[in-house]
Amino acid sequence: MENKKPRLVISTGAGMSAESGISTFRDAGGLWENHDVMEVASADGFARNPALVHQFYNARRHDLLKANPNQGHIALKDLEKYFDVYIITQNVDDLHERAGSSKVLHLHGELMKVRAIEDPDKIYTLDEEHLDTTPDSTDSEGNHLRPHIVFFQEAVPNIERAIEWANMADIFVVIGTSLVVYPAASLLHFVRPGVPVFYIDPNPAAVDSNVKVIRKGASEGVAELTDILLKNLQTR
Ligand code: APR
């Protein structure tokens, strides 16, 4: 009976996609500096000016189409050879999926999806020819469509599942997040005592001393992490 692969749970933020050319939110010149976040990514902003919000996410879908998974995304998929890998992401892009990762949980929604306002269980994936929506966009039943994004002021439906994943981790890794947005930033606190925690970020937020910080970008950082994890596997 093949011995079970250790569970490697990884929590990623905007920094994971920075090397794919997708700007982060809070780095200098980041996304929000060109937009007032409460206008384009909050429930109040959507109620106030839905056309602006649709336009904002239309532009981000066109940006995403020009982006590809970077070496960091690919290295995380490659770790599935040795570990049972679970990815929890704050990112709304589909780069983890496009890199081939098999278990990806989105906390803040998915950019390539829209859902029916009148019936939120109806979720649709946009194709490359139909990336743009407006407040008048409807599905075949006349339901109005909205971005399938968790706006600020809205609940994070997948957080319970994400906490379960963090709690079952044998190894926990945080990559490319400023750890300022909750509840995503709280996942670190659900890791069992004694489980090794790594944090890959070129400009890391302050974390507990037991967290091993790899002060590098995602691609270099995941390569270094892979070396560390594979060495540890051999000595198990
Ligand atoms: N590799 C890894 N990390 C990087 C890189 C890189 N090449 N470049 C920048 N970073 C790091 C930054 O140092 C920062 O810590 O990525 C992090 C980006 O932080 P934010 O811009 O705050 O992004 P994130 O933490 O994902 O934001 C959380 O806020 O606006 C909301 O919903 C939005 O999901 C988002 C949430």
Side-chain angles (χ1 to χ4, degrees):
M1 155 86 161
E2 176 207 318
N3 63 328
K4 264 164 60 61
K5 292 177 184 173
R7 284 189 185 125
L8 173 59
V9 181
I10 301 164
S11 174
T12 67
M16 185 76 229
S17 299
E19 292 159 39
S20 297
I22 296 182
S23 60
T24 62
F25 297 97
R26 293 172 184 79
D27 285 329
L31 202 59
W32 299 131
E33 291 181 16
N34 313 326
H35 296 278
D36 173 346
V37 64
M38 294 318 274
E39 268 193 289
V40 292
S42 74
D44 287 347
F46 185 57
R48 228 183 354 261
N49 188 344
L52 175 68
V53 175
H54 277 274
Q55 281 160 18
F56 175 74
Y57 286 100
N58 292 343
R60 295 189 62 195
R61 285 188 204 103
H62 286 279
D63 288 347
L64 179 52
L65 224 58
K66 291 178 261 180
N68 292 300
N70 60 56
Q71 274 312 311
H73 292 106
I74 291 161
L76 292 185
K77 185 263 294 176
D78 291 343
L79 281 170
E80 295 193 8
K81 287 191 204 95
Y82 311 99
F83 298 95
D84 189 10
V85 181
Y86 295 77
I87 295 182
I88 304 162
T89 187
Q90 296 174 76
N91 300 338
V92 295
D93 63 56
D94 59 352
L95 296 176
H96 282 303
E97 289 90 340
R98 281 161 56 189
S101 287
S102 53
K103 291 192 279 290
V104 181
L105 182 65
H106 287 269
L107 290 181
H108 295 163
E110 298 181 63
L111 188 53
M112 293 307 289
K113 295 183 178 173
V114 290
R115 70 168 183 266
I117 293 176
E118 295 85 349
D119 183 353
D121 292 337
K122 288 192 167 57
I123 298 168
Y124 307 96
T125 301
L126 297 171
D127 60 43
E128 296 190 9
E129 282 70 51
H130 306 92
L131 289 179
D132 298 322
T133 55
T134 73
D136 300 327
S137 299
T138 56
D139 66 8
S140 55
E141 293 157 24
N143 296 307
H144 289 82
L145 298 176
R146 60 160 278 179
H148 185 50
I149 297 287
V150 177
F151 292 142
F152 281 104
Q153 303 162 329
E154 291 185 329
V156 178
N158 288 335
I159 192 64
E160 283 77 21
R161 192 143 159 247
I163 288 169
E164 284 165 22
W165 284 15
N167 190 251
M168 66 183 191
D170 297 315
I171 304 159
F172 193 76
V173 184
V174 178
I175 306 176
T177 176
S178 57
L179 292 169
V180 297
V181 172
Y182 283 79
S186 68
L187 290 173
L188 263 178
H189 307 305
F190 292 93
V191 176
R192 286 168 294 151
V195 168
V197 180
F198 298 83
Y199 178 23
I200 298 171
D201 195 305
N203 179 22
V207 285
D208 293 349
S209 56
N210 65 320
V211 174
K212 167 131 181 49
V213 176
I214 299 175
R215 191 181 280 266
K216 288 184 176 165
S219 296
E220 275 187 85
V222 177
E224 180 174 326
L225 173 76
T226 299
D227 288 346
I228 295 168
L229 294 183
L230 295 192
K231 273 198 195 77
N232 293 353
L233 262 190
Q234 280 148 17
T235 57
R236 269 169 69 97

